[in-house]
Amino acid sequence: MRSLSVDPEPTDCRRITPRIVPAMSEPLTLDRGAGIAVITMRAPERRNALTLEMAAAMIAACETIDADPEIGSVIVTGEGDYFCAGGDRSVLARAGEDPAEPDTYAGMSTVYNAFARVGKLEPPTIAAIRGGALGAGLNLAMATDLRVVAEDATLLSGFLPIGLHPGGGHSLLLNRSGSRETANALELFGQRLTGVEAVARGLAWTAVPAAAVEDTARELAAVPAADPALARRTAASMRRIAGPPAIPWDAALDLERAPQMWSMRRKALEG
């Protein structure tokens, strides 16, 4: 496998260019081999919660993947026992202090754009989920084309219980992948699903023992990886035909931004 660590500027995704740096300093790595790219979030000490640096590194990794025509499929996963616990608390706290401050606004855009960019990758994508996917981590999981989950994993919206409005197109992502009942139960009523329940409700493809998640994802990824050019074209056709629901994802990002930042500010004021 070829391994690439990326060290981008965290606040302006348009100027990000990946470069080789010591892996120990990086929050995210990109490995490529046999037509498969693996994006791995590497912050197990915080359950791979997204910082601005990690989000920007993810965007940079996606740019590298789309520029490599030999890649026919992508796996997104997290190091350790948890897929992604959402946005890092320090990021949310700064957003709550002054949501309209330019750097804060740009920073939240970087987090949003991380999973939006994964959702726009040219090759077919798989989320390999152990432990759980929470909040923005659930957005990241639902942004992929397919999900392989551990049987005991937890899928949780998690925004309302902590006093925040959902963001990043959360409502759209949940509704396009499952029933309205399931989306409402998760987002409005704070319910959670195990990996097995997520499969039963159409939010994931298969649930396997935690130790088998990555191997199962690789087995699935090997099919499109065998013909990258065809895989990319087929994925593009599939997405155009299936499409997002009523409004585009970009519109969902904007629609949710104001109320989410209002909720961050309210939470900060309440202390």
Side-chain angles (χ1 to χ4, degrees):
M1 299 285 284
R2 291 177 287 165
S3 181
L4 172 68
S5 295
V6 289
D7 184 23
E9 295 180 13
T11 57
D12 188 348
C13 64
R14 293 170 297 179
R15 296 182 297 181
I16 289 170
T17 55
R19 62 177 184 270
I20 302 297
V21 296
M24 289 299 291
S25 67
E26 294 311 311
L28 179 147
T29 56
L30 170 62
D31 297 297
R32 292 177 282 173
I36 301 172
V38 182
I39 298 173
T40 305
M41 296 170 282
R42 297 195 180 277
E45 70 283 357
R46 61 171 188 267
R47 298 193 302 173
N48 297 311
L50 292 166
T51 61
L52 300 189
E53 183 183 13
M54 181 184 283
M58 188 172 293
I59 295 168
C62 291
E63 295 294 330
T64 299
I65 289 168
D66 279 350
D68 185 348
E70 295 181 2
I71 296 175
S73 58
V74 181
I75 298 170
V76 182
T77 192
E79 182 180 2
D81 297 329
Y82 210 87
F83 177 72
C84 181
D88 185 68
R89 292 189 179 188
S90 64
V91 174
L92 300 180
R94 285 196 299 271
E97 290 171 3
D98 188 357
E101 194 273 327
D103 286 344
T104 298
Y105 195 88
M108 287 302 297
S109 293
T110 300
V111 174
Y112 294 158
N113 287 335
F115 35 83
R117 186 62 182 84
V118 167
K120 296 174 183 176
L121 275 166
E122 292 182 17
T125 55
I126 300 172
I129 303 168
R130 284 173 287 100
L134 168 64
L138 185 55
N139 284 353
L140 176 60
M142 302 310 296
T144 61
D145 295 312
L146 199 71
R147 284 153 293 284
V148 175
V149 295
E151 294 166 338
D152 60 353
T154 297
L155 276 64
L156 177 65
S157 172
F159 286 102
L160 264 66
I162 63 171
L164 294 181
H165 189 283
H170 190 70
S171 303
L172 181 148
L173 289 167
L174 290 180
N175 276 282
R176 78 175 185 177
S177 299
S179 70
R180 182 172 180 177
E181 287 288 309
T182 299
N184 287 344
L186 288 167
E187 182 172 333
L188 300 179
F189 297 96
Q191 298 301 294
R192 64 184 66 203
L193 298 175
T194 66
V196 173
E197 290 169 336
V199 172
R201 295 182 181 277
L203 296 181
W205 171 244
T206 187
V208 298
V213 166
E214 276 81 5
D215 287 345
T216 303
R218 283 188 174 277
E219 290 173 6
L220 289 162
V223 176
D227 190 342
L230 177 60
R232 290 179 179 225
R233 284 166 173 77
T234 304
S237 297
M238 181 68 171
R239 293 166 189 163
R240 289 193 191 102
I241 293 169
I247 63 173
W249 195 341
D250 290 344
L253 293 177
D254 289 337
L255 182 66
E256 290 181 345
R257 177 189 291 272
Q260 185 185 49
M261 289 191 158
W262 162 82
S263 66
M264 289 175 178
R265 180 60 172 162
R266 186 188 64 167
K267 188 175 180 68
L269 291 173
E270 290 175 349

